[in-house]
Structures are given as structure tokens and as C-alpha cells.
Amino acid sequence: MATRFVDIAERRARLAVRHRHGAARNDDVVAIADGLVALHSTDPVSVYLSAAARMGTPSLGAVEHALYDERSLIRHHAMRRTLWVLGHEAAGLAHHASTVDVAHAQRRLALSMFAEGGIARPEEWLASASAEILALLAAEGPLPAREIGLRLPALNVPLAVGSGSSAGVVAAHSRVLLLLGFDGRVVRARPTGTWVNGQYRWAATSVWWPDGFAARDPRTAAAGLARRWLAVFGPGTRADLAWWAGWTQAVTKRALADVGAVEVGLDEGVGYVLPEDVEPAPEAPPSAVLLPGLDPSTMGWKQRGFHLAPEDVALLFDRNGNGGPTAWVDGRIVGGWHQRADGEIALHLTADVGVEATAALEARAAELAALLGDVRFRVRFPAPLQAKLA
């Protein structure tokens, strides 16, 4: 039975504070990532701008330093087979709670592709190819996939992928790299271009991050991941957590039980919070922030009605449900933004937020334009609003 009802105002207040939309900003990039569980990395720009939006002194260099110098953040496929950037502890939890299951499915698919591509004894070939790639990376890495193919030409076997208009060819060694990534034996290192580039060099995990994805019990890992999600995104429904984590309903239900999640009432139905988080949250100070596409605040729940007006979905999300760049005031989405060719950050508000909040968003836009400087980028998954503002 629900202990109490959590209304929309409180959910927005929790979001604004816990997602660092206002006064809770700091310059610790790892703390920012951990404070959101993980940062979406399907679009490389999202990682930098999600972190910068929550920094007291926004710095793209600080994000790069954490990723590639300190290596205190790791880029890894995890929940929903999405690419994320995570702190070490969160990466270990996500790997054993989500990635391991994805890896099994991807391995079966790859072995089928190898066999159809004419590779005899696919299991043996995969083991041998994996060993060769790991040895090369340990000795000479990090290296981009193209360079690995040139160094190990015997592994550069063409494989057919897709069908019809989406048919294409990939090299077998690139598929092996993907599997090694899912297994946690390689990780993505520096990009081959600038920070807005999504093509990465590969590094042996044993060299790049010696502690690696140490063994964990999957059930314990799932409980740990659920606890982190509830601390940041709670209250949320079971459907929200199942969607975010890519879990079955059975795994989700068990993880909620394992952390002692407490039921609360929401407009959507039954929601959950951690047992130490039942009491009403205080009011949040005013906040205004511009967040990039795929930001955790936008993508943290399946049911987003408490922070997103239904009539704005078609403007701010693409057809596959990917959220574009958004403008937020006091824990709710009030519009979106786009970087124009001349570097201007163009705003479009879908709600009347008043003079002060509008001025605050315009100030955030000016700060973002200054941060980006001469850098121009394209949103990887643009929403219709981006075309409208371009």
C-alpha cells in the first residue's frame, strides 16, 4: 500500500535538485556522472554538455581529463544496449546487471554472421581473433578499428549486414571489437578526431583500467543499480525502471524488493522510493538550464508526463523517442534549443515561464555559446525543433 502521494510539484523539485539544475552545481565531473547514475554517450556531445551544464565553472577540458587522463570515467555499453559514460563503481554494477546479458545475445548474433560469412569453426575463429586483438592492443594500443584491421589483415573478413535498403558490409574484426567491448575486455579510449567525434580508439581494459569489471553477483549488481536509480530518479514506476535498465519485469520487481523500495502514489499509479527517502522533499530554489540531446533528465523515465507536456513530445523528440536539446525551468521542460551555423544558441520556448526565467535561459544560452566557441556540432538524433530553429 502506498505510504503517501507524491504530486507533480514535488517530483519536479526533486528532479531540479538531484539533477543539479541549479545551486547544486560543482566541478567534480565524476561526481556529476555518479549523481545521474550515468551519462548518455550515444551522441558524444551529450557527455560534455550534460556535465558542463551542471558545473559551477563549465569546462570541456575537465570532462576530457576525467575520460582520458585520469580515466576515472569509462565509456561502456550497458542499459538497453546504450553507450554510456560511468564512474568505476557504476560501470561495474551496470556491466553485471545489464551488459552481461546483452553480451550473450550479441555473441550468438556474431557467430551466426561469421558462419554466414564463410568463416569455418566460428567459435574457434572468434577466440583466436580476440586473442590477437587483445595482444595487439596491450602492446601498441590504443588503436582505432581501421588501424587494427590494417595490422591484422587476416581478421578483416567482410561480413554482410542488414537487408534491402539498409544492407551493407562490415569487417569481422570490428564485430570482434564490439564483442570484446560487451565482455569488458576492451574499452573505448580517445576519439580519432575532436571531442564531438564518435569514432574511438580501442584500448585493452587490462591496460586502460586495470581494476576492470571485477566479478559481481548479477542479482546484487541489479539491486545496486536500482538503488542508484531510485536515489536520483525516484519516485518512479516499475515500468520506468524496467525501461531505463532494459530489464524484464521479473528482474525489476526483484531488484526493487532487494533494496526495500517503498510504494508511493503517483499520477501514473504506483511509484517507488528508497526506504530512507519517503519523507516529502523540500521546495527547490528556482532553476533554469539548457541540456543536450539524450540528457539523463530527459531520458530517465519512460513516463515523462510530470516534466514534459504531451503536446511538446512531437516537437522535442524524434520518432524513435530520442530527446533533443531541451530548455528546463524549475524541473520541467519548457522548450528546446539549437546551435546555428554562426554559433548562436537559438531558443524556442513552448511555455510562458515569465520574464525572470526567460532571462535566465537566455543567459544560459550565451554561456553555452561562449563555452563552445568555434566548435560546431550536429545533434546525433535531432528532433523536429532543430530543423525549425536552424
Side-chain angles (χ1 to χ4, degrees), residues 183-214:
D183 288 339
R185 292 192 282 172
V186 300
V187 293
R188 290 162 176 81
R190 288 185 184 272
T192 57
T194 67
W195 63 275
V196 303
N197 185 286
Q199 297 295 320
Y200 302 99
R201 295 175 176 85
W202 293 90
T205 305
S206 60
V207 176
W208 189 262
W209 179 28
D211 291 341
F213 301 92

Side-chain angles (χ1 to χ4, degrees), residues 89-147:
E89 177 65 17
L93 293 172
H95 179 76
H96 291 285
S98 298
T99 315
V100 170
D101 289 338
V102 175
H104 292 325
Q106 290 298 309
R107 180 183 176 87
R108 290 193 298 269
L109 175 61
L111 290 173
S112 176
M113 291 175 60
F114 296 156
E116 293 173 1
I119 294 175
R121 297 188 293 278
E123 291 265 10
E124 296 177 19
W125 187 90
L126 174 58
S128 175
S130 298
E132 287 187 64
I133 290 175
L134 289 171
L136 175 64
L137 291 177
E140 302 183 38
L143 296 169
R146 182 177 181 278
E147 182 65 23

Side-chain angles (χ1 to χ4, degrees), residues 165-182:
S165 61
S166 60
V169 176
V170 299
H173 76 276
S174 66
R175 187 61 53 168
V176 177
L177 280 166
L178 188 64
L179 291 178
L180 289 171
F182 282 122

Side-chain angles (χ1 to χ4, degrees), residues 93 96-97 217-227 247 251 254-255 258-259:
L93 293 172
H96 291 285
D217 171 64
R219 179 171 178 173
T220 303
L225 192 63
R227 169 169 285 279
W247 289 338
V251 170
R254 186 178 68 187
D258 285 345
V259 300

